[in-house]
Amino acid sequence: MSPILFELLLKSLWETILMTLAAGLISFVTGLPLGLALVATAKGGIAENLWVNRILGSVVNAFRSVPFIILLVALIPVTRLIVGTALGTWAAIVPLAIAATPYYARIAEVSLREVDRGLIDAVRAMGGNRWTILREVLVPEALPGLVSGFTVTLVTLVGASAMAGAIGAGGLGDLAIRYGYQRFETGVMIAVVVVLIALVSLIQWGGDRLVARLERR
Amino acid sequence: MTLHTHPPETAPQISPTTRAEKQSAGDAPVIELVDVHRRFGTVPALDGISLSVRKGEVLGIIGRSGAGKSTLIRCLNGLERPDSGAIRIEGTEIATLSEQALQPVRRRIGMIFQHFNLLSAKTVEENVALPLKIAGVAKAERLARARDLLDLVGLSDKARANPAALSGGQKQRVGIARALSAEPALLLSDEATSALDPETTRSILALLRDINRKLGLTIILITHEMDVVRAVADRVAVIDAGRIVEEGSIWQVFSSPQAQITRSLLKSSRPQLPNSIAARLLPATTGSTAGTAILSLDAAGADSVKAVQASLSALLADGVRVVHGGIDEIQSNPVFRGFLALPSNPALISRVRDDLTARGAQLEALGHVADPV
């Protein structure tokens, strides 16, 4: 591989990492409260409200059912509003984050729902309010699940970011399509695949280690 | 002196409460329930419960699973709401309070659970300190107090441990320390020993009894085991199908259970007719002079038990035999329960009955067996 291609590979890797991490962080910060809201408003939840629950659930389902490539294009006006441009790496972060948020909200919901009701009862019996239950029980007790779910979300984002090449965001997927596929540079294709495997493995390994540490507490 | 009169930030001051103090303070009930109803769907879980618990008292509520006892105890701190009826805790009506208004009331009530319900993401001392954190006590103070309480339950060396590293008995001790940390006036125990082995159960019950004596804490415990009630409670209420079917001091209920459910719950806790006889027992028939009559004999209280023994020794000479039984001591009262076998002769039977009932015993003809026993 030529030094120019190698430099391109590094640049693409950085773009992928940037898109994945930025969209991942945004989806964590917004998806977790959304997941908490889904659990809290569900039947028997700490802030039961079935109407709110149904509306939130429908919105999440709607966003999750749109294929990402469609969402990417459909959200161009929104992206332009937020980032100022609809092109490039930063512009891709907006649709990526918007797609990953409901995805992570559902994953968080599953982990939060598995927290033993007895623990919530114990804190209610102490005179704790909803906020206390959230902070002292739901989030800390579900944390290993929340972290491993976040790992899954990040890996999914690595894959989804490949499509962001469609709006000129770059990244490893874009490199593989333009050089590896369209220009028949098998070497580039293989290099990209190897780097992607390494990246995904690294994310999974880091996530697993963090979960193991949290579970040992 | 009772613990709750101290502000939460002070260390636990434990002084023995004398019986006299306990009784003088026992005028206003800590808990008062009036005609409490609660149904789940069409099934009534609580069907008109009225109950009153004095300060410093240990009340055992016993019943089979599904009798409504869990619903009842959860109504006492508002984890469950009644459909109708009044629930007063230290004079405050809580049945109609909002979840928010309940919070200060709940801080006066500690609760321990069958499955301990310790937070796995927190250390032992953080678990114990949590009620104080909720009450707004500063970190250093609440951790210091948590360590005092862990000392009280004998787990000071486990303060930094994770709850998962503890045995069942240790977990329940942490549960007790946590329930006590905000200096409650009342402790609710929801089947707290049902997941523990017999030896651990005994040590947990001894701890509860000790806490009741030292701190003058009012305790309500629910269980399905009579032995648990016997080990700690002053008084027992038997609940069946959402109703209290029997209520009284432990030794009275043990010596003369009235309801069928109470007798059945007592089966493993007091002498029963031996199987070899029970298998051959025919229903009581009047006038039969063949075979051997079997009677049960119950007596309670020092005077009655003494008189019954004296009377029995005379009857033994006339062919009456004690086939099974003994004297137990419950709440410092001797309780006699035994089974008599005697020739099925109406004159002798009525003599035995008259002699013994005159001395305060209760006799019940169980039937007769064809052969001598």
Side-chain angles (χ1 to χ4, degrees), chain B residues 125-288:
Chain B
E125 64 180 0
E126 284 167 352
N127 266 281
V128 176
L130 187 54
L132 296 168
K133 189 175 182 183
I134 289 169
V137 176
K139 189 171 184 182
E141 280 166 23
R142 61 180 191 249
L143 288 181
R145 179 149 169 79
R147 278 191 288 271
D148 286 339
L149 276 153
L150 286 170
D151 214 27
L152 177 75
V153 300
L155 281 177
S156 35
D157 56 326
K158 301 283 185 194
R160 298 283 165 83
N162 185 292
L166 304 183
S167 70
Q170 289 173 327
K171 282 180 191 167
Q172 196 57 287
R173 281 169 186 274
V174 175
I176 291 171
R178 183 175 72 175
L180 295 177
S181 68
E183 304 186 333
L186 174 65
L187 179 67
L188 306 177
S189 163
D190 186 358
E191 296 273 11
T193 57
S194 299
L196 304 174
D197 61 68
E199 204 187 323
T200 315
T201 295
R202 274 194 292 278
S203 79
I204 292 293
L205 295 176
L207 175 64
L208 287 178
R209 188 76 222 176
D210 198 40
I211 286 162
N212 164 256
R213 293 211 174 114
K214 281 181 179 159
L215 311 183
L217 189 71
T218 311
I219 301 179
I220 309 290
L221 55 96
I222 65 161
T223 178
H224 59 270
E225 291 167 304
M226 266 294 178
D227 290 329
V228 167
V229 168
R230 183 185 161 166
V232 285
D234 301 310
R235 208 153 58 87
V236 62
V238 182
I239 184 170
D240 189 37
R243 291 168 170 276
I244 292 179
V245 293
E246 190 159 1
E247 199 183 339
S249 71
I250 302 295
W251 73 277
Q252 280 165 339
V253 171
F254 264 71
S255 58
S256 61
Q258 302 301 313
Q260 191 52 48
I261 176 80
T262 317
R263 288 161 190 245
S264 131
L265 286 164
L266 274 169
K267 256 186 186 134
S268 63
S269 309
R270 37 176 227 161
Q272 297 296 311
L273 190 63
N275 274 334
S276 61
I277 298 175
R280 290 185 290 150
L281 196 69
L282 304 163
T285 51
T286 47
S288 163

Side-chain angles (χ1 to χ4, degrees), chain A residues 114-156:
Chain A
E114 273 166 16
V115 172
D116 185 356
R117 271 211 70 86
L119 302 180
I120 296 171
D121 279 349
V123 173
R124 278 177 70 204
M126 289 172 200
N129 55 26
R130 289 171 193 161
W131 175 240
T132 310
I133 293 168
L134 222 84
R135 210 183 42 198
E136 305 287 351
V137 187
L138 283 177
V139 173
E141 294 295 321
L143 201 55
L146 293 174
V147 169
S148 75
F150 184 58
T151 310
V152 172
T153 305
L154 282 183
V155 170
T156 307

Side-chain angles (χ1 to χ4, degrees), chain A residues 152-176:
Chain A
V152 172
T153 305
L154 282 183
V155 170
T156 307
L157 276 169
V158 171
S161 71
M163 280 174 253
I167 56 163
L172 288 166
D174 187 43
L175 183 70

